[in-house]
C-alpha cells in the first residue's frame, strides 16, 4: 500500500503543475465573458479532440465499467459501456454542425431551449441539465476521494479539498480556455499512462492468458460475448449515457470552441473512436479482479464497485500504484474543470437575460463567482463519501426522457414548447414507473402489481421511446410553425449589444448577417 | 460460448495498442496545428 503522504504529495504535485500551466496559458487571453465561457472558434481539430476525450473520460471509467465486467455483465457489458461512451460523441458529430448553423452565436443548451420553446421547457431543461452535471461532478469527486482512501488511506476531505482547490484556481481564472488547454495536456499524459500502466498491470497479473484462465475458472459466462445479462446492461447503458450526455453543456461549449464546422464533426468522430478502447482497457481490470478472494459480487460486503482498486492493492508494486493514482487524478481534473466551467456558463448565459443587458465586467465576475460556488459545493459533497450511483441513475433518466423532444426542435419547425414538455414529462413518468429505485414508492401507492417488473433496461428504453414517440406525434398535430432562423436572431454574443435588452436580436450592431 | 484464450489475448493487446494509436494521432495533430500557427 502506498503511504498517504506519498499519494497526497503526488496528487498535489500533479494538481499544482496543471493549475500553474492553466493559469499561465490563460494570461491575457480572457478579456471578456465570451472568452471565459465560449472560446469561440479558437480550437483546432487536434486540441478539440483532446478536450473531448479528456472531458468524457472521468474517474468513472475506473469504477462503473470495471464493476460491470466483474460482477454482472462481463465482456459484453464492457463493450456496451465503450459503445455507450462513444454514441453521444457520434450523435454530436451531426448535431454539433446543426447547432453551429442555426444558433451560430449561442453559448448554452438553455439559451437554445428558451429561444426555441419558451419558458416552460427552458426551466425544465435548466433543472435537468444542471442536476445531471452536478451529479456527474459529485460522483467524480466521491470516486476519487474513495479511491485514494482505499489505495493510500488519504482522508476524504483532504483529497476533495486539494482537487477542488487547485482545479478552481485555474478554472476561475482562465475559464474555458484554461480548461481546453489543460485538457489537451492531460490527454497527452493520460493516454500513454493508461496504455503503459494497464500493460504493466496485466503483465504483473501473469498476462492475458492467466487472466483468461482465472475468469474461466470463476465465471466463464463473463467471457461470453453473447451473455444476455451483459448485453441488456450494455443496451441500457448506451441509452442512459446518450440521454445524459446530450444535456451536458460541456459539449455545447466545445461545439462553439471548434475552429470550424468541419473540425467539430471530425473531432467528435475521432473522440468517439478514442474513448472505446480507453473504457474497455480500464474495464478489463474487472475481469482481472474475478480471481481475487477479496472480491464480493453479491450480498453483504459487496465491493465490485471498487474492483479496480482491489486489483491495484493486491497485485501492484508501489510505482504502478502511484501511476494509477495519477491516472485517477488526471481523469478527475479533466472532468472537474470542464463541469465547473460548464455549469458556470449555463448560469452566466441566463444571467444576461435576467439582469437585462448587464455590462461585460459584471457577467465575467458572475461567471467566476459561479465557478467558485460550484467548486465549493462539489468539494463538500465529494468529501462526504455518499453513494451517488442511485442519484446518477435518476439524473440519467431525467435526461433520457428529455433529449429527443429538446433536440427535435433543431430539425423541425413543428414541435412546440408545451408539446415537447408534455412529451418529456410523459416519458419521465413511464420511465419512473419501471425504475428500480422507485419501485418502493409504487408499492406504497398500491399500483406496483399493475406495472411490469422494474428494470433499468425497461425504464431507460421506455423513457426514450415514449418521450421520442410522443414528441413526433404531438409535433404532427401541432398547428404551430416555428421559423428556425429566429434562433439566430434571438441568441447572440455577449460582446454584441442588443437593441431591446436581449429579447430580439434582429438588429446587430457589428454588421453581422441577419437571416431575414 | 466463451472467448478463447488467444482471442482474449488479442482483444486485450489490441485495446492497449488502440489507446497508443490515439496518443500518436493526438501528438501528430497537435504538433501540426502548432507548426501551422507558428508559420
Amino acid at each position: 500500500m502506498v503511504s498517504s503522504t506519498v499519494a497526497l504529495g503526488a496528487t498535489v504535485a500533479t494538481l499544482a503543475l496543471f493549475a500553474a500551466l492553466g493559469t499561465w496559458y490563460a494570461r491575457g487571453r480572457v478579456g471578456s465573458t465570451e472568452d471565459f465561457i465560449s472560446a469561440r472558434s479558437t480550437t483546432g481539430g487536434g486540441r478539440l479532440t483532446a478536450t473531448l476525450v479528456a472531458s468524457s473520460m472521468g474517474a468513472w471509467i475506473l469504477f462503473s465499467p470495471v464493476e460491470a465486467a466483474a460482477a454482472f455483465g462481463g465482456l459484453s457489458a464492457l463493450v456496451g459501456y465503450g459503445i455507450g461512451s462513444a454514441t453521444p460523441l457520434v450523435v454530436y458529430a451531426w448535431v454539433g454542425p446543426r447547432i453551429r448553423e442555426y444558433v451560430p452565436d449561442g453559448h448554452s443548451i438553455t439559451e437554445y431551449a428558451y429561444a426555441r420553446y419558451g419558458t416552460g421547457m427552458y426551466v425544465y431543461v435548466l433543472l435537468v441539465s444542471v442536476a445531471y452535471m452536478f451529479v456527474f461532478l459529485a460522483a467524480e469527486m466521491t470516486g476519487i476521494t474513495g479511491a485514494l482512501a482505499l489505495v493510500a488511506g488519504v482522508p476524504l476531505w483532504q483529497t476533495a479539498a486539494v482537487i477542488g482547490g487547485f482545479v478552481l484556481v485555474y478554472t476561475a481564472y482562465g475559464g474555458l480556455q484554461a480548461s481546453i488547454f489543460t485538457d489537451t495536456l492531460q490527454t497527452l499524459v493520460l493516454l500513454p499512462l493508461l496504455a503503459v500502466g494497464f500493460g504493466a498491470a496485466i503483465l504483473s497479473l501473469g498476462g492475458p492468458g492467466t487472466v483468461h484462465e482465472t475468469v474461466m475458472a470463476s465465471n466463464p459466462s463473463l467471457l461470453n460475448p453473447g451473455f444476455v445479462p451483459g448485453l441488456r446492461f450494455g443496451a441500457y447503458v448506451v441509452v442512459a449515457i446518450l440521454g445524459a450526455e446530450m444535456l451536458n453543456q460541456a459539449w455545447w461549449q466545445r461545439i462553439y470552441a471548434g475552429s470550424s464546422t468541419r473540425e467539430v464533426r471530425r473531432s467528435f468522430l475521432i473522440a468517439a473512436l478514442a474513448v472505446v478502447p480507453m473504457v474497455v482497457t480500464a474495464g478489463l481490470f474487472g475481469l482481472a479482479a474475478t480471481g481475487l478472494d477479496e472480491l464480493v459480487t453479491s450480498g453483504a460486503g459487496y465491493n465490485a464497485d471498487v474492483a479496480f482498486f482491489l486489483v491495484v492493492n493486491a497485485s501492484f508494486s508501489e510505482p504502478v500504484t502511484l501511476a494509477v493514482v495519477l491516472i485517477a487524478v488526471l481523469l478527475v481534473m479533466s472532468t472537474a474543470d470542464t463541469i465547473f466551467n460548464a455549469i458556470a456558463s449555463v448560469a452566466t448565459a441566463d444571467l444576461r437575460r435576467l439582469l437585462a443587458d448587464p455590462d461585460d465586467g459584471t457577467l465575467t465576475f458572475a461567471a467566476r463567482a459561479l465557478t467558485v460556488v460550484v467548486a465549493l459545493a462539489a468539494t463538500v459533497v465529494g468529501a462526504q463519501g455518499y453513494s451517488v450511483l442511485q442519484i446518477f441513475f435518476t439524473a440519467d433518466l431525467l435526461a433520457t426522457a428529455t433529449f429527443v423532444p429538446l433536440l427535435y426542435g433543431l430539425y423541425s419547425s413543428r414541435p412546440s414548447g408545451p408539446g415537447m414538455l408534455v412529451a418529456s414529462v410523459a416519458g419521465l413518468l413511464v420511465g419512473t414507473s419501471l425504475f428500480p429505485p422507485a419501485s418502493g414508492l409504487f408499492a406504497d401507492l398500491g399500483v406496483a402489481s399493475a406495472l411490469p417488473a422494474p428494470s433499468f433496461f425497461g425504464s431507460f428504453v421506455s423513457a426514450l421511446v415514449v418521450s421520442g414517440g410522443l414528441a413526433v406525434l404531438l409535433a404532427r398535430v401541432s398547428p404551430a410553425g416555428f421559423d428556425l432562423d429566429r434562433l439566430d436572431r434571438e441568441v447572440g454574443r455577449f460582446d454584441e449589444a442588443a437593441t431591446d435588452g436581449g429579447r430580439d436580436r434582429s438588429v446587430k450592431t457589428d454588421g453581422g448577417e441577419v437571416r431575414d | 460460448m466463451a472467448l478463447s484464450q488467444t482471442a482474449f489475448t488479442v482483444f486485450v493487446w489490441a485495446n492497449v495498442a488502440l489507446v497508443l494509436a490515439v496518443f500518436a494521432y493526438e501528438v501528430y495533430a497537435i504538433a501540426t496545428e502548432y507548426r501551422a500557427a507558428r508559420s
Side-chain angles (χ1 to χ4, degrees):
Chain A
M1 190 175 185
V2 180
S3 77
S4 63
T5 310
V6 171
L8 199 59
T11 301
V12 168
T14 307
L15 288 163
L17 175 66
F18 281 97
L21 288 168
T23 308
W24 166 77
Y25 179 81
R27 277 188 69 186
R29 292 176 193 266
V30 183
S32 68
T33 314
E34 276 290 322
D35 299 331
F36 191 81
I37 70 168
S38 84
R40 198 176 299 280
S41 301
T42 60
T43 312
R47 289 198 304 136
L48 191 59
T49 306
T51 186
L52 294 174
V53 169
S55 299
S56 55
M57 295 292 95
W60 62 268
I61 70 168
L62 308 182
F63 293 90
S64 307
V66 186
E67 179 182 7
F72 44 83
L75 210 52
S76 48
L78 192 50
V79 172
Y81 237 118
I83 294 170
S85 307
T87 305
L89 297 169
V90 173
V91 173
Y92 269 119
W94 274 269
V95 173
R98 186 84 179 178
I99 293 169
R100 281 175 70 109
E101 181 186 355
Y102 280 92
V103 203
D105 293 333
H107 309 85
S108 75
I109 192 168
T110 50
E111 271 182 335
Y112 156 73
Y114 184 78
R116 177 65 184 84
Y117 289 131
T119 308
M121 193 66 174
Y122 155 73
V123 171
Y124 181 76
V125 169
L126 176 67
L127 292 175
V128 173
S129 175
V130 171
Y132 168 67
M133 287 190 286
F134 189 77
V135 167
F136 187 7
L137 186 58
E140 286 289 302
M141 295 295 272
T142 303
I144 190 67
T145 54
L148 284 183
L150 192 69
V151 170
V154 180
L156 301 180
W157 70 268
Q158 289 183 8
T159 307
V162 295
I163 291 180
F166 277 108
V167 175
L168 172 63
V169 167
Y170 70 85
T171 318
Y173 178 73
L176 185 59
Q177 310 238 14
S179 174
I180 290 175
F181 177 71
T182 52
D183 280 354
T184 304
L185 298 178
Q186 284 151 3
T187 299
L188 292 176
V189 176
L190 188 61
L191 288 169
L193 207 55
L194 186 63
V196 174
F198 177 77
I202 205 94
L203 289 175
S204 75
L205 292 167
T210 307
V211 173
H212 183 274
E213 284 169 16
T214 306
V215 182
M216 288 299 282
S218 59
N219 187 357
S221 58
L222 295 180
L223 286 175
N224 182 358
F227 184 44
V228 173
L231 291 174
R232 281 173 67 90
F233 177 84
Y236 99 70
V237 160
V238 169
V239 175
I241 298 179
L242 174 65
E245 291 299 321
M246 296 315 287
L247 268 79
N248 188 342
Q249 161 71 3
W251 306 132
W252 286 65
Q253 285 181 292
R254 281 154 182 78
I255 286 166
Y256 290 116
S259 58
S260 69
T261 298
R262 181 173 168 272
E263 290 295 353
V264 167
R265 175 165 291 165
R266 209 163 68 119
S267 297
F268 271 102
L269 287 175
I270 294 170
L273 286 176
V275 300
V276 177
M278 291 179 75
V279 171
V280 173
T281 298
L284 285 168
F285 275 84
L287 295 177
T290 56
L292 297 176
D293 294 334
E294 300 93 311
L295 181 73
V296 182
T297 57
S298 62
Y302 179 87
N303 61 4
D305 52 339
V306 289
F308 183 94
F309 296 95
L310 294 178
V311 177
V312 169
N313 267 348
S315 312
F316 295 165
S317 62
E318 196 163 308
V320 178
T321 305
L322 260 184
V324 169
V325 167
L326 292 184
I327 288 172
V329 170
L330 287 171
L331 286 167
V332 172
M333 276 186 93
S334 60
T335 307
D337 63 21
T338 297
I339 303 289
F340 282 5
N341 189 256
I343 296 178
S345 75
V346 166
T348 306
D350 292 337
L351 274 181
R352 186 195 194 206
R353 187 171 54 251
L354 296 173
L355 298 180
D357 229 10
D359 64 59
D360 195 68
T362 305
L363 274 183
T364 306
F365 174 78
R368 289 192 161 122
L370 284 162
T371 308
V372 174
V373 171
V374 172
L376 287 177
T379 302
V380 171
V381 173
Q384 307 305 312
Y386 293 139
S387 170
V388 292
L389 194 60
Q390 198 158 305
I391 309 171
F392 224 140
F393 282 145
T394 308
D396 283 351
L397 181 63
L398 282 165
T400 300
T402 308
F403 83 92
V404 173
L406 177 70
L407 296 179
Y408 189 21
L410 258 182
Y411 291 86
S412 168
S413 61
R414 298 200 67 84
S416 67
M420 295 308 101
L421 188 57
V422 167
S424 297
V425 173
L428 181 61
L429 288 174
V430 174
T432 304
S433 70
L434 300 175
F435 195 47
S439 57
L441 173 71
F442 289 102
D444 290 344
L445 294 172
V447 294
S449 57
L451 297 170
S455 75
F456 286 111
F457 178 78
S459 173
F460 282 93
V461 171
S462 64
L464 176 66
V465 170
V466 170
S467 64
L470 209 52
V472 173
L473 198 67
L474 291 173
R476 279 186 172 276
V477 299
S478 167
F482 182 90
D483 175 10
L484 292 180
D485 287 344
R486 268 178 60 193
L487 292 170
D488 182 16
R489 295 197 296 274
E490 294 188 12
V491 179
R493 295 170 60 122
F494 293 154
D495 51 9
E496 173 183 88
T499 55
D500 68 341
R503 280 190 298 280
D504 186 346
R505 309 190 56 80
S506 57
V507 178
K508 297 189 174 186
T509 56
D510 65 346
E513 187 183 334
V514 178
R515 280 170 184 268
D516 59 346
Chain B
M1 187 171 149
L3 216 59
S4 75
Q5 195 174 66
T6 307
F8 182 72
T9 301
V10 170
F11 179 75
V12 168
W13 291 125
N15 271 287
V16 174
L18 279 171
V19 175
L20 285 173
V22 172
F23 171 65
Y25 167 78
E26 276 298 307
V27 170
Y28 165 76
I30 292 167
T32 304
E33 275 168 26
Y34 181 72
R35 275 207 306 273
R38 300 262 301 177
S39 60

